Amino acid sequence: MIEHADGARTPLIDASVHIFFPSNKDLRSFLREPFKSRGFPDYEMDWYGAPGGEYAPNTKGPDRQYPGSDPEFVASELFSNRGVDVAILHPMGRGIMPDRHLGSALHAAHNEMMVSRWLESDEFGDRFRGTIRVNPDDIAGALREIDKWRDHPRVVQIGVPLQSRELYGKPQFWPLWEAAAQARLPVAAHIEVGSGIAYPPTPNGNTRTYEQYVSFMALNYVYHLMNMIAEGVFERFEDLKFVWADGAADFVTPFIWRMDTFGRPHLEQTPWAPRIPSDYLPGHVYFVQGSLDGPGDTEFAGEWFGFTGKDDMVMFGSSYPHWECGDVSKLPSALDPEQREKLCWRNAAELYGIDIAVESGAQ
């Protein structure tokens, strides 16, 4: 429960909490041979490092644990210090591996760790919800992982990397989206850590500085989203819900306007997606609020938030423990009470099926 500047109090669901293994050695303890002895990137093997460091101050545990790796410490920070009622966990992996079998093994290890240490924690498990990681380069392996975890009561989402080597509307991914829809689990695409073999952050190559990278990287969701609409993914799988977990909801308005301009006149090219492109957003497309999103605390922030129905799509997410760790107290003051409630908890509660009044103890 949090209190806003005007004195109003609302529950808070943090839709983006990143969790990690403490070390590669610990990760290996969840792997079996032949993968246990294989080499794979560390979390820190990024092309771009934030100038002040990847993580917010005071996010290492009392024993200097890797940020986001100690359930008790993270629970204390979120639930006691930040007013969070329920946290959606997203394990951070190693990017797309050259060997798809190794990639799937790493994802499975992250899922085992999250479920055993976090979701089934005796003390805090009832306030955590989890994202199982699957490998889009290995559809058969991804389907097995979904089947393994789909019925766990605290698993609420499937996670894939934003940096896919192919656009997510293409038919090779359809069995994965079908399985997600049948399991009633949203799919979250998140910028991956660990270098893997990810493509450059822009279609024209690598940017020079971290500032450029962090400004542009989340824009890659536009390519996936517009391709999914044009390929008829949301028409084919009416229960599929997709979460773009690194912000940039502010980009959807101008780009969907452009798609609508061409969508209806060129319907003969996409008869499998008969509706105007913007019609596929409601109920299918969601965003986690990013620290760089929107016009800031301006008088028209609420109006901008309402364009294209964004106020029904966006959820608060802190990205804890990363440096840009979002602060819900700094939401634009121009948001009206209904917009603020949707952003802070209502959209996430509806998407993930969280009865926050019962399950979190929020008053």
Side-chain angles (χ1 to χ4, degrees):
M1 184 72 68
I2 56 169
E3 184 169 332
H4 300 282
D6 60 2
R9 301 179 76 231
T10 63
L12 180 62
I13 297 176
D14 190 333
S16 184
V17 174
H18 305 161
I19 63 172
F20 300 84
F21 277 98
S23 65
N24 279 359
K25 180 180 179 181
D26 187 50
L27 193 163
R28 290 183 192 281
S29 72
F30 282 77
L31 293 171
R32 294 185 295 273
E33 296 294 2
F35 306 110
K36 190 170 185 173
S37 302
R38 295 280 300 275
F40 47 81
D42 198 351
Y43 290 125
E44 302 295 341
M45 294 182 68
D46 293 324
W47 282 81
Y48 301 92
E54 290 296 326
Y55 304 106
N58 304 315
T59 52
K60 291 185 178 180
D63 297 322
R64 309 301 292 168
Q65 297 99 324
Y66 197 86
S69 67
D70 185 291
E72 291 187 9
F73 180 79
V74 172
S76 176
E77 284 293 300
L78 295 177
F79 305 140
S80 298
N81 298 338
R82 293 175 174 267
V84 173
D85 292 294
V86 177
I88 312 298
L89 307 177
H90 197 116
M92 301 307 291
R94 298 304 202 274
I96 297 291
M97 295 288 100
D99 181 343
R100 68 181 185 278
H101 302 295
L102 174 61
S104 292
L106 292 171
H107 283 91
H110 281 78
N111 296 337
E112 291 279 1
M113 177 271 291
M114 177 189 67
V115 172
S116 63
R117 293 180 179 173
W118 298 75
L119 301 189
E120 296 179 354
S121 162
D122 291 337
E123 188 172 1
F124 301 108
D126 61 337
R127 298 180 71 176
F128 289 132
R129 298 296 182 274
T131 303
I132 57 166
R133 297 302 312 274
V134 300
N135 181 8
D137 262 14
D138 176 16
I139 298 298
L143 296 181
R144 288 194 297 271
E145 202 68 8
I146 292 172
D147 190 59
K148 179 178 181 179
W149 297 113
R150 58 179 292 172
D151 293 326
H152 193 288
R154 292 173 184 160
V155 167
V156 297
Q157 189 166 248
I158 296 164
V160 296
L162 182 65
Q163 301 102 307
S164 167
R165 291 201 296 273
E166 295 284 350
L167 293 170
Y168 279 144
K170 293 191 174 182
Q172 64 260 41
F173 298 113
W174 291 358
L176 180 53
W177 311 148
E178 181 179 25
Q182 289 177 348
R184 302 283 180 172
L185 294 174
V187 180
H190 198 288
I191 294 172
E192 190 60 278
V193 299
S195 62
I197 51 173
Y199 281 160
T202 81
N204 298 317
N206 290 298
T207 60
R208 188 175 71 85
T209 67
Y210 178 83
E211 178 186 18
Q212 295 171 307
Y213 169 83
V214 77
S215 298
F216 298 150
M217 186 63 214
L219 179 59
N220 282 281
Y221 88 81
V222 171
Y223 309 125
H224 286 303
L225 174 60
M226 301 314 177
N227 179 248
M228 294 174 78
I229 292 173
E231 293 279 6
V233 169
F234 298 120
E235 183 74 26
R236 178 179 292 268
F237 307 116
E238 61 181 20
D239 293 325
L240 179 64
K241 300 178 187 301
F242 234 84
V243 179
W244 306 103
D246 276 291
D250 48 351
F251 282 119
V252 77
T253 293
F255 278 99
I256 203 68
W257 284 347
R258 296 176 72 90
M259 281 285 286
D260 281 354
T261 298
F262 289 95
R264 185 66 69 185
H266 295 273
L267 183 60
E268 76 280 358
Q269 295 184 11
T270 57
W272 44 80
R275 290 185 280 165
I276 195 166
S278 59
D279 285 350
Y280 291 105
L281 298 180
H284 288 295
V285 177
Y286 298 82
F287 296 86
V288 173
Q289 175 83 354
S291 58
L292 304 179
D293 286 5
D297 193 7
T298 62
E299 62 181 14
F300 58 87
E303 182 181 13
W304 175 254
F305 197 58
F307 284 171
T308 329
K310 290 192 291 291
D311 42 13
D312 290 321
M313 301 180 198
V314 179
M315 306 175 288
F316 171 77
S318 67
S319 292
Y320 181 92
H322 281 90
W323 68 268
E324 72 270 32
C325 198
D327 185 346
V328 74
S329 69
K330 296 181 180 179
L331 295 177
S333 58
L335 298 183
D336 65 39
E338 183 179 8
Q339 289 177 322
R340 195 167 56 191
E341 280 216 346
K342 289 180 177 180
L343 177 61
C344 288
W345 71 278
R346 197 176 295 279
N347 288 343
E350 292 177 359
L351 177 64
Y352 297 120
I354 299 171
D355 187 343
I356 192 166
V358 174
E359 297 188 21
S360 74
Q363 302 298 314

